[in-house]
Amino acid sequence: MEAWLVRHTPRTFAALDPPAERSAIAMAEQAIGQSFPEPLVESLLRHNGMGHFDLLPPFWSLLDVEGITRAWQIRMKIYGDEVAEVEEGDPNGEYGPWWHGQWIPFAFDGGGDYLIVDQRSSRHQGRIGHADHETGCSFRRHPMWASLPALLDATASALETGEAVDGYLPVAVDEDELDWEF
């Protein structure tokens, strides 16, 4: 992914932050009361988030460690007392509650929505969900949303081949910034 970004969208590449410190990740895990999944840790140790540039299809930017913690804490504060009383529903279903304490946000769209890694114990543990600030969380069936490694691999493949993935086509805007057409 990085090689493609350097060649085709250097401004998006430059937006990627340097690696996170392991100590910062450990503090974030302590703050939210759970460990980050290993693929997220590996990603943060490579790039600790980025500015508001589209990287993941169709319009997602990576959160840094502080952003992950802040997003999780804000959602927990908004969700408040409902957390203990909520009927969780089917953790394997296509839709989840508005928020869940075992979701870890890792990407944002700038409009209050997040991509999350679902850490609930279920056969779909590790899948990616879209936590919409109005309608709640949904989980798509396309294989790219099965896990963070699957999402990153699908993104890299789309960049390298120029082919659409789940209906999203990578394009270079002004020859220096990544965007996704759908």
Side-chain angles (χ1 to χ4, degrees), residues 117-181:
V117 178
D118 187 353
Q119 291 296 95
R120 295 178 292 172
S121 293
S122 77
R123 65 186 170 98
H124 291 295
Q125 184 176 20
R127 69 183 170 165
I128 304 303
H130 172 192
D132 185 282
H133 70 283
E134 292 180 1
T135 60
C137 195
S138 61
F139 300 94
R140 299 195 46 197
R141 296 189 188 277
H142 190 280
M144 76 183 274
W145 304 106
S147 67
L148 184 54
L151 175 58
L152 296 175
D153 287 347
T155 301
S157 292
L159 294 176
E160 291 171 0
T161 64
E163 295 177 11
V165 60
D166 196 22
Y168 307 116
L169 182 68
V171 294
V173 177
D174 297 328
E175 297 183 14
D176 68 352
E177 192 172 327
L178 176 61
D179 196 10
W180 294 88
E181 291 180 350

Side-chain angles (χ1 to χ4, degrees), residues 78-140:
I78 292 169
Y79 210 40
D81 296 333
E82 293 180 39
V83 173
E85 301 169 9
V86 70
E87 176 59 42
E88 198 173 312
D90 178 7
N92 295 310
E94 187 176 348
Y95 297 97
W98 186 82
W99 185 252
H100 194 284
Q102 290 180 298
W103 292 344
I104 300 176
F106 69 90
F108 70 103
D109 69 354
D113 296 348
Y114 298 98
L115 288 182
I116 58 95
V117 178
D118 187 353
Q119 291 296 95
R120 295 178 292 172
S121 293
S122 77
R123 65 186 170 98
H124 291 295
Q125 184 176 20
R127 69 183 170 165
I128 304 303
H130 172 192
D132 185 282
H133 70 283
E134 292 180 1
T135 60
C137 195
S138 61
F139 300 94
R140 299 195 46 197

Side-chain angles (χ1 to χ4, degrees), residues 12-31:
T12 300
F13 176 76
L16 292 167
D17 289 338
E21 298 288 330
R22 282 196 183 270
S23 59
I25 294 170
M27 288 183 354
E29 291 173 327
Q30 184 176 9

Side-chain angles (χ1 to χ4, degrees), residues 1-2 5 9-20 43-44 46-57 59-68 70 106-110 152 155 159 176-180:
M1 213 182 312
E2 291 173 344
L5 293 173
T9 58
R11 192 165 150 201
T12 300
F13 176 76
L16 292 167
D17 289 338
S43 177
L44 292 166
R46 188 163 189 97
H47 295 288
N48 186 21
M50 63 189 312
H52 191 116
F53 286 84
D54 296 347
L55 179 64
L56 303 173
F59 41 65
W60 299 103
S61 304
L62 298 176
L63 287 166
D64 62 13
V65 173
E66 289 180 20
I68 290 169
R70 190 172 39 256
F106 69 90
F108 70 103
D109 69 354
L152 296 175
T155 301
L159 294 176
D176 68 352
E177 192 172 327
L178 176 61
D179 196 10
W180 294 88

